[in-house]
């Protein structure tokens, strides 16, 4: 079903009718974003939508938190694809903890590297997100595993 829905979002997007708050409502805007956010097999489409949402955000036609998540997702996916170390902006993306000695260790998780981590909470707040510390608590509760240190 998600593939069908993503296909529908792609058709809307290609005709200039991506679901925005002003045209389709908050729920449709959020649902479209959720499909795009998890469409990692089509990073080109994610990047196209990111560019579109950056403009929509300036007119309050999409959610800032959604834009932050998609920004980080695109940064991480593109860096991984190109063999670079990913650096995210808002600290929304995590990965299983791995070491060279234990490449499949997954009893904890870690954030992908965050640019200027000392100021990440300021950036998060500007986009309507809670602090990184609050998000960490949510992730621990959701995943059931601690953050690695």
């Amino acid at each position: 079903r998600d593939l069908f829905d993503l296909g529908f979002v792609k058709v809307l997007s290609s005709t200039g009718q991506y679901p925005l708050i002003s045209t389709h409502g908050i729920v449709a805007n959020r649902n479209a974003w959720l499909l795009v956010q998890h469409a990692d097999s089509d990073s080109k489409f994610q990047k196209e939508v990111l560019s579109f949402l950056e403009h929509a955000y300036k007119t309050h036609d999409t959610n800032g938190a959604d834009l932050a998540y998609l920004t980080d997702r695109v940064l991480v996916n593109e860096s991984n694809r190109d063999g670079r170390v990913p650096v995210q902006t808002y600290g929304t993306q995590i990965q299983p903890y791995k070491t060279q000695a234990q490449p499949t260790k997954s009893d904890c998780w870690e954030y992908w590297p965050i640019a200027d981590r000392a100021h990440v909470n300021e950036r998060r707040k500007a986009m309507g997100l809670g602090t990184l510390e609050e998000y960490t608590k949510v992730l621990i509760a959701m995943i059931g595993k601690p953050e690695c240190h």
Side-chain angles (χ1 to χ4, degrees):
R1 173 110 175 120
D2 284 350
L3 288 176
F4 172 80
D5 293 340
L6 179 62
F8 184 67
V9 171
K10 286 181 176 183
V11 168
L12 287 175
S13 184
S14 71
T15 61
Q17 299 180 45
Y18 182 89
L20 296 172
I21 292 171
S22 63
T23 57
H24 295 80
I26 292 171
V27 173
N29 177 254
R30 176 43 90 68
N31 288 342
W33 162 80
L34 190 59
L35 290 165
V36 173
Q37 175 74 8
H38 293 102
D40 293 323
S41 63
D42 195 346
S43 59
K44 181 181 177 207
F45 182 61
Q46 284 179 321
K47 191 170 183 176
E48 289 170 9
V49 171
L50 175 61
S51 177
F52 184 76
L53 291 183
E54 287 170 340
H55 294 290
Y57 178 69
K58 292 174 185 173
T59 59
H60 309 285
D61 226 356
T62 196
N63 183 293
D66 295 348
L67 178 59
Y69 273 85
L70 188 57
T71 297
D72 282 353
R73 190 71 158 239
V74 168
L75 287 169
V76 167
N77 285 344
E78 282 190 336
S79 296
N80 281 330
R81 184 192 67 223
D82 297 342
R84 295 179 283 121
V85 174
V87 179
Q88 58 182 320
T89 302
Y90 301 100
T92 63
Q93 304 298 299
I94 64 170
Q95 64 179 328
Y97 180 75
K98 298 175 184 173
T99 65
Q100 288 184 349
Q102 294 179 299
T104 59
K105 183 179 177 184
S106 62
D107 56 345
C108 57
W109 55 270
E110 64 185 348
Y111 288 100
W112 285 101
I114 301 169
D116 189 18
R117 192 169 178 148
H119 295 101
V120 69
N121 285 334
E122 295 166 24
R123 294 191 301 274
R124 290 177 64 86
K125 183 178 181 181
M127 300 304 279
L129 295 168
T131 66
L132 192 63
E133 294 76 18
E134 292 166 341
Y135 186 49
T136 299
K137 290 177 185 175
V138 169
L139 289 172
I140 290 169
M142 276 181 22
I143 298 169
K145 295 180 182 181
E147 178 183 12
C148 302
H149 294 281

